[in-house]
Amino acid sequence: MPQKDLYEILGVPRTASQEEIRKAYLKLAHKYHPDKTGGDKASEEKLKEVNAAYDILKNPEKRAQYDQFGSMDGQPFQGGFGGGFGGSGFDAPFDDFFDMLFGQSGRRRSGGGHPGKDLEFNLSITLKEAAFGAKKKIRFNRMETCGDCKGSGAAPGSRPEACSQCGGSGQVRVAHGFFSVTRTCPQCRGAGSTITKPCRACSGHGMVKTTRELAVDVPPGVDTGSRLRVTGEGEPGSGGAPRGDLYIYLEVQPHELFVRDGTTLICEVPITMAQAALGDTIRVPTLDGEAELKIPPGTQSGAHLRLRGLGMPDLRGYRQGDLVVKVQVETPARLTRQQRELLQQFEKAGDGRAYPLIEAFRSKVKRLKG
Ligand SMILES: [Zn+2]
Ligand SMILES: [Zn+2]
């Protein structure tokens, strides 16, 4: 089902101010509110649609992203690909990120001929690039219509000649007892013409291998397995049919410090026994720098401390994940003489209440012994 333009849903022009959008939303929300409509299904659906549209348009960042990538009615918009990169070959950029977001395919085929072949490209990116988005330059090979023969395969100055076997129809009649059946001509394979003098540049194939360079906008939030589609960057179609598309399969390289779980980033950070016991404020790495983290007194090894919003973004731009710091309390491995003495004193100075886990464990063991 084709989906509607978000601005259309709210009944505002694309140039509407945030305030106009808000007013339009309030009006519609009021109009379709169950209190007003008695809760009929159509109004309920309408309200959902209005809410979803407002959810995106009320947020200037999401709105800009929506404006940039496309509308819900399938009209191609100025997208994230190409743009100032010798990028002329296409005008309807789209990717699966938006297919996913708006539940439609940005692709429409026109009749006649065969659409060009789709191409695939594997692109490896860093976790940081996956988090913040990146402009990546890619190079790939693709077949192009031969410029020398304009795709005919015949040497310049010559022309493909009508096939001698079928006379140009591409089909031959073959006798079969009393009947005769029509078959694809074996000599020209249905093309109706044969090349007597093949073009040198393409050996008569009509296509030549070329290298294409392209700038690709990787949106923030992608993950390994995410697929971007660049419309019209596949191979050329025949008979006026559109070019194929280029599919870019992303692979996010593992990071030495962070493990990703959806939008959550997990970082294991070792701290000292004293820091864990006394509490401290430490600096921890983030994807693009550092952040301060407060370690509360009495922090146990394995504790998860959360830094809000410092994880990965959601691909749809709805929320930012958290950075979870997994604290690892390190037992000192080599003690100086003084440290050893201090620790012995430290243990003696205890009042037996410092270790509730140990206390609980001991009493359990004692009880079970009976
Ligand atoms: Zn050629
Ligand atoms: Zn033929």
Side-chain angles (χ1 to χ4, degrees):
M1 200 182 77
Q3 304 214 27
K4 280 186 231 152
D5 183 88
L6 299 186
Y7 292 94
E8 236 169 68
I9 291 169
L10 294 183
V12 293
R14 291 197 158 261
T15 51
S17 67
Q18 290 304 123
E19 183 57 22
E20 283 166 338
I21 287 173
R22 195 180 71 90
K23 279 186 181 155
Y25 164 71
L26 289 176
K27 218 168 119 187
L28 289 169
H30 203 64
K31 182 176 165 191
Y32 295 118
H33 194 276
D35 287 351
K36 284 255 165 166
T37 62
D40 74 282
K41 264 273 173 280
S43 298
E44 199 181 296
E45 284 308 307
K46 203 84 189 156
L47 185 61
K48 264 190 213 161
E49 202 178 62
V50 165
N51 281 334
Y54 183 58
D55 194 48
I56 289 175
L57 295 186
K58 74 177 174 191
N59 180 326
E61 247 171 62
K62 287 185 211 166
R63 183 184 175 187
Q65 206 171 13
Y66 172 74
D67 287 346
Q68 192 192 7
F69 281 99
S71 75
M72 292 171 96
D73 63 4
Q75 293 302 313
F77 266 79
Q78 182 57 37
F81 294 105
F85 222 97
S88 54
F90 57 92
D91 58 3
F94 232 93
D95 65 37
D96 277 24
F97 156 47
F98 269 89
D99 285 0
M100 199 176 79
L101 187 49
F102 301 120
Q104 54 94 34
S105 160
R107 175 93 155 277
R108 278 158 303 164
R109 292 283 191 214
S110 56
H114 293 286
K117 210 174 90 181
D118 293 334
L119 296 176
E120 290 179 1
F121 188 87
N122 294 320
L123 180 61
S124 176
I125 59 171
T126 64
L127 186 62
K128 193 174 172 183
E129 287 171 329
F132 298 105
K135 185 155 249 182
K136 301 291 284 183
K137 200 177 187 179
I138 64 169
R139 280 163 71 91
F140 58 99
N141 290 330
R142 75 178 177 200
M143 300 304 285
E144 284 296 341
T145 306
C146 173
D148 284 18
C149 63
K150 306 276 180 294
S152 76
S158 79
R159 305 175 114 212
E161 282 169 22
C163 172
S164 58
Q165 193 165 338
C166 62
S169 70
Q171 295 187 323
V172 286
R173 294 183 86 77
V174 185
H176 245 286
F178 292 110
F179 305 99
S180 72
V181 292
T182 306
R183 287 249 174 93
T184 301
C185 170
Q187 184 172 303
C188 65
R189 289 195 208 93
S193 57
T194 50
I195 291 155
T196 46
K197 266 176 77 185
C199 165
R200 278 197 188 177
C202 63
S203 313
H205 293 114
M207 305 273 272
V208 285
K209 196 183 202 179
T210 59
T211 301
R212 171 84 172 142
E213 200 167 275
L214 201 65
V216 175
D217 257 345
V218 177
V222 294
D223 204 345
T224 293
S226 295
R227 190 181 74 170
L228 306 178
R229 179 165 69 206
V230 193
T231 306
E233 282 293 344
E235 293 189 346
S238 69
R243 298 185 75 100
D245 297 337
L246 172 68
Y247 289 96
I248 298 169
Y249 291 88
L250 295 175
E251 194 217 330
V252 181
Q253 297 151 18
H255 195 281
E256 284 186 73
L257 291 175
F258 303 104
V259 173
R260 178 183 187 174
D261 179 13
T263 58
T264 303
L265 282 182
I266 300 154
C267 182
E268 230 173 71
V269 177
I271 60 170
T272 69
M273 245 166 44
Q275 283 175 312
L278 303 171
D280 198 0
T281 299
I282 62 169
R283 300 196 67 77
V284 294
T286 63
L287 269 178
D288 65 339
E290 278 188 340
E292 251 180 26
L293 176 70
K294 236 182 136 156
I295 303 202
T299 292
Q300 301 296 335
S301 196
H304 286 191
L305 302 175
R306 193 170 285 268
L307 286 165
R308 299 231 172 259
L310 292 179
M312 299 294 287
D314 184 278
L315 187 55
R316 299 159 191 240
Y318 289 143
R319 63 184 169 274
Q320 184 87 15
D322 300 335
L323 171 60
V324 168
V325 173
K326 211 169 144 186
V327 173
Q328 203 181 18
V329 178
E330 185 171 20
T331 307
R334 278 185 299 272
L335 297 175
T336 63
R337 175 196 285 264
Q338 195 192 2
Q339 278 178 318
R340 191 175 308 117
E341 284 167 8
L342 282 170
L343 273 180
Q344 281 160 352
Q345 278 179 40
F346 168 83
E347 284 291 83
K348 273 188 212 142
D351 60 359
R353 304 221 303 248
Y355 302 106
L357 270 184
I358 293 173
E359 288 306 309
F361 180 74
R362 280 185 184 155
S363 67
K364 210 184 275 177
V365 170
K366 212 165 150 189
R367 183 161 50 76
L368 288 171
K369 265 193 198 161

